[in-house]
């Protein structure tokens, strides 16, 4: 029960984030909004690291520089998310984001790219994505 | 419209790549250190992009006080999703996160809160959202239903994140 609540709240926060970013960006600009939300989030995350006395950053040198720099992709993600929400609203933006995300996840896991262990892709996953695409078409018809 | 769809496809693809990279970081360091690193680099990259496209004009803006608290939401996402995954396991937790995301999206479009352009509710849009939710559930839980654990995707690549 608690797990379900956390998961639902997590989804709420994700949607809220898209909406808040889009709102902030329409008032002060997209790059300003992206810079501001990432900076304030970082400050809070560092506080949490300090409070829980997390020392695992000492292992950071062992992480491949390519993977460690993944955070930079957020600039592209945030910019496209904010602009897409302005153009077509949150529902459609989230739906297409999820489809693109899952399709690429199929490719990454199916081929074992980026050090992910290779997995066979089930029929249900393909049908699931097709259903999502059908859902988007129904949304937009 | 076409531009919106294009940007959402690009954005979603990058979410997937970022989740995969983050999953590799999390093999060595904790969730919170990973989150702090990811947000710091996101900040640095956004700042650099802003300076390139707008120069010092980047810093001339009138922010409302609540804008400065927007980053808390991202931290809330990490905390809730991590807890959910720990209790329910990745596939069940992530499927619920995604279904919740899309329903709250419909709610938000309908209500038009936070200066969002209001999109009137239609039964057709509810049907579309139900269909998308069904697709998400089938995608995430299908392998379990097929009773073949080896077809399960790496949960890390599908984690909701942005």
């Amino acid at each position: 029960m608690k797990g379900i609540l956390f998961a639902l709240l997590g989804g709420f926060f994700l949607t809220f984030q898209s909406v808040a970013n889009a709102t902030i960006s329409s008032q002060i600009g997209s790059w300003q909004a992206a810079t501001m939300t990432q900076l304030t989030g970082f400050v809070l995350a560092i506080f949490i690291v300090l409070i829980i006395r997390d020392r695992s950053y000492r292992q950071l040198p062992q992480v491949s520089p390519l993977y460690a720099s993944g955070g930079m992709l957020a600039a592209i993600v945030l910019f496209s998310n904010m602009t897409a929400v302005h153009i077509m609203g949150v529902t459609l933006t989230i739906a297409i984001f999820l489809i693109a995300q899952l399709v690429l996840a199929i490719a990454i896991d199916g081929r074992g790219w980026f050090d992910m262990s290779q997995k066979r892709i089930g029929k249900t996953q393909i049908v699931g994505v097709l259903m999502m695409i059908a859902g988007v078409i129904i949304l937009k018809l | 419209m076409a531009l919106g769809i294009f940007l959402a496809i690009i954005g979603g693809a990058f979410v997937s790549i970022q989740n995969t990279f983050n999953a590799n970081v999390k093999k060595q360091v904790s969730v919170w250190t990973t989150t702090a690193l990811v947000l710091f680099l996101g900040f640095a990259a956004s700042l650099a992009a802003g300076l390139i496209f707008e120069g010092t004009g980047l810093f001339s803006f009138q922010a409302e006080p609540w804008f400065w608290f927007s980053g808390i939401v991202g931290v809330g996402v990490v905390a809730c999703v991590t807890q959910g995954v720990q209790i329910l396991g990745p596939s069940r937790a992530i499927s619920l996160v995604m279904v919740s995301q899309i329903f709250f999206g419909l709610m938000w479009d309908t209500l038009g809160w936070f200066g969002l352009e209001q999109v009137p509710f239609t039964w057709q849009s509810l049907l579309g959202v139900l269909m998308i939710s069904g697709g998400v559930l089938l995608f995430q839980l299908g392998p379990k239903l097929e009773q073949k654990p080896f077809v399960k995707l790496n949960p890390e690549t599908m984690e909701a994140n942005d």
Side-chain angles (χ1 to χ4, degrees):
Chain A
M1 192 59 215
K2 231 169 107 188
I4 296 175
L5 221 60
F6 274 122
L8 295 180
L9 199 59
F12 167 77
F13 277 139
L14 275 165
T15 300
F16 183 47
Q17 196 175 34
S18 292
V19 175
N21 287 348
T23 306
I24 296 173
S25 72
S26 64
Q27 289 195 37
I28 64 174
S30 298
W31 294 117
Q32 285 83 349
T35 307
M36 189 182 241
T37 54
Q38 298 285 292
L39 176 65
T40 52
F42 164 68
V43 169
L44 187 56
I46 272 292
F47 263 116
I48 294 171
V49 168
L50 291 175
I51 288 166
I52 62 172
R53 296 187 180 179
D54 176 0
R55 302 250 189 270
S56 62
Y57 60 83
R58 288 174 179 165
Q59 269 84 53
L60 266 180
Q62 291 162 37
V63 180
S64 131
L66 171 68
Y67 300 143
S69 57
M72 295 171 74
L73 299 175
I76 303 167
V77 172
L78 286 171
F79 183 83
S80 45
N81 193 285
M82 292 182 288
T83 314
V85 170
H86 286 313
I87 297 174
M88 57 190 188
V90 211
T91 315
L92 208 54
T93 300
I94 292 172
I96 298 172
F97 254 77
L98 289 181
I99 292 170
Q101 194 185 329
L102 294 181
V103 167
L104 196 59
I106 287 180
I108 291 173
D109 284 346
R111 311 236 160 180
W113 286 337
F114 304 124
D115 290 321
M116 289 286 115
S117 51
Q118 198 172 357
K119 308 275 164 144
R120 258 188 58 191
I121 304 305
K123 277 197 199 87
T124 47
Q125 271 135 344
I126 310 290
V127 177
V129 169
L130 291 176
M131 247 177 97
M132 291 171 77
I133 295 171
V136 166
I137 295 169
I138 293 172
L139 259 182
K140 238 12 258 177
L141 270 183
Chain B
M1 186 71 212
L3 176 67
I5 293 172
F6 172 74
L7 285 172
I9 291 173
I10 299 290
F14 275 105
V15 169
S16 212
I17 296 173
Q18 202 185 9
N19 285 341
T20 308
F21 285 14
N22 293 354
N24 281 311
V25 179
K26 279 185 226 161
K27 286 175 188 167
Q28 307 288 343
V29 300
S30 73
V31 174
W32 287 112
T33 299
T34 306
T35 305
L37 173 72
V38 166
L39 288 170
F40 175 73
L41 290 173
F43 157 69
S46 306
L47 182 68
L51 286 173
I52 290 166
F53 293 117
E54 301 182 13
T56 48
L58 180 71
F59 302 109
S60 52
F61 58 83
Q62 295 272 304
E64 288 177 36
W66 73 269
F67 290 2
W68 293 102
F69 295 94
S70 57
I72 297 172
V73 181
V75 171
V77 171
V78 177
C80 289
V81 174
T82 311
Q83 283 295 310
V85 169
Q86 264 169 23
I87 299 171
L88 301 174
S91 28
R92 282 194 293 171
I94 302 302
S95 58
L96 273 180
V97 169
M98 290 181 170
V99 169
S100 160
Q101 239 183 306
I102 193 87
F103 271 98
F104 276 115
L106 181 63
M107 192 195 81
W108 229 296
D109 272 337
T110 306
L111 296 171
W113 286 349
F114 276 93
L116 212 64
E117 199 182 320
Q118 204 169 350
V119 183
F121 174 85
T122 60
W123 291 104
Q124 192 183 327
S125 58
L126 181 64
L127 181 68
V129 164
L130 282 171
M131 190 95 170
I132 293 164
S133 306
V136 169
L137 292 175
L138 200 61
F139 185 97
Q140 301 278 6
L141 306 175
K144 272 192 182 146
L145 301 176
E146 284 181 65
Q147 297 275 310
K148 292 178 201 155
F150 59 84
V151 292
K152 214 173 105 186
L153 286 166
N154 290 318
E156 294 91 350
T157 35
M158 286 167 299
E159 257 180 50
N161 195 348
D162 55 347

